[in-house]
Amino acid sequence: MKSKYQSLTGMHDILPEDQIYFKKAHKAVEGVANYYGFSKIDTPILELAEVFSKGVGVDTDIVGKEMYTFRTKGGDLVSLRPEGTAPIMRSYIENGMHNLPQPVKLWYLGPFFRYERPQAGRFRQFYQFGFEALGEKNPSIDGQIVQMSYDVLKELGFKNLKVEVNSIGDSECRPYFKKILTSYFRSRRSSLCSDCQRRLKENPLRILDCKEEKCQRVKASAPQIIDHLCENCHAHFKQVLEFLDELELPYTLNPYLVRGLDYYTKTVFEIIESSEQGQAQGSLLGGGRYDNLAKILGGRDTPACGSAGGIDRIISLMKNRETKSSKSSQEPQIFLAQLGQLAKRKSLKLFEEFRGAKIPVAESFSKDSLRAQLRTANKMEIRWVLIFGQKEALEGFVTLRDMETGTQKEIKLDKVVKEMKAKIKK
Ligand code: HAM
């Protein structure tokens, strides 16, 4: 039956069975962040809309079409954060973090909001993790951010990752390249989609990002920015690539990668999973350098670089890939079936003993029949079931049933925890 109320379009519950994937992702991100000396930061979910319209850029899809923006009772125009980089730079400036030893290295994980058309891997509330290194212009930090991003995905079991990198120059070389690009696209205006005809006026670089087939065709022979980088950007990009070579990261150059946010300068990159499903989802992660963002938001000159990964997309691919055999150590491998009041009462102590030994045990207190409890254990794919009935409770033992073989044996109550510990270790 369809319920009267449903979650909003593009928003979904993270159900108990999915929490385990979130935990895994969180752990992988935190592990990499700690290793590289990044500290956790949480910024509010709401920010003044201007943080994004100025920071990310009014002409971007994110700000132009996708922000949840409203006026508060006090009259402030605020937005649900669509991304994390601009708020972190706002916080860096507000909290005088330029006084700290540089770079200030921060990581985060939380919900973000974009009013997008829902499709595979695209939600209106989604979760991102991110790394941001603020106050460092050396290209080695670009390399480190790519490495860390790659490490997280590797840690989560991704094998067929594609890292695409490009440089989109800076305020010295990009205006000139924009002119060249505009004249190229203008002469082919009628072959572009209507959105790109508009982009031609506002930001021709964005045309390179268009997924429409007709625009892709025009793009295929468009001029490439790496041929027009100024000396400084060229040298920076060369060094970034040298770092990536040194790290032996399997990257490819994508001269048309521009990313959908205006704050980028120099290095940009994305990581995709190359399976069919991975490609349908879009990028798992994206990032780059944003040397001008601090000034745009009213701070002093602060070179910076970072990345953010989409946890919902990552989890969806992990779920797809994960086989039944890869049960997490946190998931119970033992089920305690209890029958009758005395056994239920006595089993509380048994649970405590298992908890003391840090061995998770599943149960279904509300189900009375043994059959129903075995069925639950089966559904949970648990191999070992401890049966604790009236007779067992009175005589001080439990019956262990191996669900794989169907065999049973009795174990004395005071030996249960030790014996089960040995069994699940195997
Ligand atoms: P972004 O490319 O807009 O970059 O988002 C980063 C990642 O978030 C994407 O690769 C994707 O996995 C995920 N993502 C984005 N939109 C959605 C959505 N609607 N549904 C599900 N997942 C989504 C940024 O946000 C930049 N702040 C990254 C950055 C950090 N650059 C420098 N530092």
Side-chain angles (χ1 to χ4, degrees):
M1 195 181 76
K2 208 172 169 187
S3 66
K4 186 171 170 193
Y5 297 112
Q6 292 176 357
S7 59
L8 297 175
T9 305
M11 301 199 178
H12 59 97
D13 303 313
I14 305 164
L15 295 168
E17 61 261 33
D18 286 341
Q19 295 291 343
I20 186 85
Y21 296 98
F22 261 79
K23 237 190 212 165
K24 274 188 196 171
H26 197 289
K27 215 172 131 199
V29 175
E30 189 167 18
V32 170
N34 285 343
Y35 186 79
Y36 283 97
F38 281 61
S39 309
K40 176 104 192 274
I41 184 168
D42 289 307
T43 62
I45 299 221
L46 282 175
E47 292 276 349
L48 281 180
E50 222 176 272
V51 169
F52 304 108
S53 54
K54 287 212 164 137
V56 177
V58 270
D59 293 337
T60 60
D61 281 354
I62 294 178
V63 172
K65 298 182 188 165
E66 298 166 1
M67 284 219 293
Y68 286 87
T69 299
F70 58 94
R71 209 165 275 286
T72 63
K73 284 182 186 152
D76 289 330
L77 193 64
V78 299
S79 300
L80 286 175
R81 56 183 193 181
E83 64 97 49
T85 311
I88 284 181
M89 187 57 92
R90 190 265 310 136
S91 176
Y92 175 94
I93 299 165
E94 182 179 343
N95 293 295
M97 290 190 216
H98 56 265
N99 292 319
L100 301 172
Q102 307 291 300
V104 174
K105 302 197 275 186
L106 303 167
W107 73 276
Y108 54 97
L109 190 153
F112 293 85
F113 304 84
R114 293 182 193 175
Y115 195 81
E116 294 204 66
R117 199 155 43 87
Q119 46 181 290
R122 218 168 267 283
F123 304 103
R124 290 182 177 170
Q125 175 171 341
F126 58 98
Y127 290 76
Q128 272 189 354
F129 69 87
F131 304 119
E132 313 287 353
L134 305 105
E136 178 61 72
K137 64 175 193 306
N138 194 295
S140 64
I141 204 84
D142 308 34
Q144 190 175 86
I145 292 283
V146 180
Q147 169 82 66
M148 291 172 70
S149 309
Y150 187 76
D151 280 354
V152 169
L153 297 172
K154 271 269 169 216
E155 179 99 14
L156 292 172
F158 287 91
K159 293 202 170 67
N160 305 309
L161 297 171
K162 256 174 60 185
V163 183
E164 296 192 338
V165 288
N166 192 22
S167 171
I168 56 167
D170 64 5
S171 45
E172 199 184 319
C173 47
R174 206 181 317 152
Y176 174 65
F177 177 68
K178 270 189 183 170
K179 272 190 195 152
I180 300 178
L181 200 62
T182 307
S183 75
Y184 171 83
F185 283 128
R186 197 170 282 147
S187 62
R188 293 156 180 84
R189 195 170 193 278
S190 56
S191 313
L192 297 172
C193 74
S194 57
D195 265 352
C196 282
Q197 294 193 5
R198 181 179 46 79
R199 287 175 185 134
L200 193 50
K201 265 197 226 134
E202 293 158 1
N203 190 349
L205 273 180
R206 194 107 311 127
I207 301 175
L208 299 175
D209 212 19
C210 182
K211 302 286 177 284
E212 289 281 330
E213 211 182 311
K214 56 200 288 201
C215 300
Q216 298 254 357
R217 269 199 299 273
V218 183
K219 178 180 99 173
S221 22
Q224 302 184 353
I225 189 156
I226 35 178
D227 297 329
H228 300 274
L229 293 177
C230 61
E231 214 173 295
N232 180 12
C233 289
H234 187 270
H236 185 96
F237 193 44
K238 191 165 161 269
Q239 287 183 66
V240 172
L241 298 184
E242 281 165 8
F243 278 114
L244 297 182
D245 286 333
E246 190 74 30
L247 293 165
E248 294 182 11
L249 274 167
Y251 69 85
T252 49
L253 275 181
N254 175 352
Y256 299 120
L257 180 70
V258 286
R259 313 255 312 119
L261 303 94
D262 275 354
Y263 50 58
Y264 289 114
T265 49
K266 299 182 175 155
T267 319
V268 287
F269 75 99
E270 283 188 359
I271 305 185
I272 6 180
E273 210 248 5
S274 52
S275 71
E276 203 177 303
Q277 207 217 353
Q279 290 191 1
Q281 295 240 343
S283 67
L284 291 181
L285 187 143
R289 183 162 272 286
Y290 45 96
D291 291 346
N292 297 334
L293 181 59
K295 272 192 132 173
I296 292 170
L297 293 181
R300 56 176 76 170
D301 229 348
T302 310
C305 186
S307 72
I311 294 187
D312 311 73
R313 293 183 187 180
I314 291 171
I315 285 180
S316 145
L317 292 179
M318 276 167 75
K319 279 169 80 172
N320 211 39
R321 151 167 51 86
E322 219 150 76
T323 54
K324 286 182 180 171
S325 62
S326 58
K327 257 184 173 293
S328 143
S329 59
Q330 285 305 305
E331 281 182 73
Q333 298 177 54
I334 301 169
F335 187 96
L336 185 59
Q338 316 128 79
L339 297 158
Q341 281 313 317
L342 181 65
K344 280 202 171 150
R345 196 149 28 89
K346 283 204 167 183
S347 65
L348 291 177
K349 188 156 167 266
L350 197 52
F351 266 115
E352 262 313 292
E353 281 176 36
F354 274 117
R355 200 180 64 79
K358 297 200 168 56
I359 302 176
V361 174
E363 45 74 36
S364 60
F365 265 117
S366 58
K367 291 202 173 95
D368 272 327
S369 88
L370 181 60
R371 255 185 67 201
Q373 295 190 60
L374 290 181
R375 216 179 301 130
T376 308
N378 214 14
K379 255 198 206 155
M380 293 172 84
E381 296 166 10
I382 292 179
R383 177 172 178 188
W384 306 108
V385 178
L386 294 170
I387 302 169
F388 199 42
Q390 186 78 357
K391 184 168 183 284
E392 282 90 346
L394 281 172
E395 294 176 17
F397 72 93
V398 291
T399 303
L400 172 66
R401 183 183 173 90
D402 182 343
M403 299 289 279
E404 267 179 38
T405 60
T407 53
Q408 296 198 168
K409 75 174 224 185
E410 291 177 1
I411 311 176
K412 281 227 147 130
L413 258 186
D414 57 353
K415 302 263 173 0
V416 174
V417 173
K418 203 167 153 211
E419 211 165 295
M420 293 316 296
K421 203 174 191 171
K423 280 219 181 306
I424 58 177
K425 243 190 196 153
K426 272 185 202 162

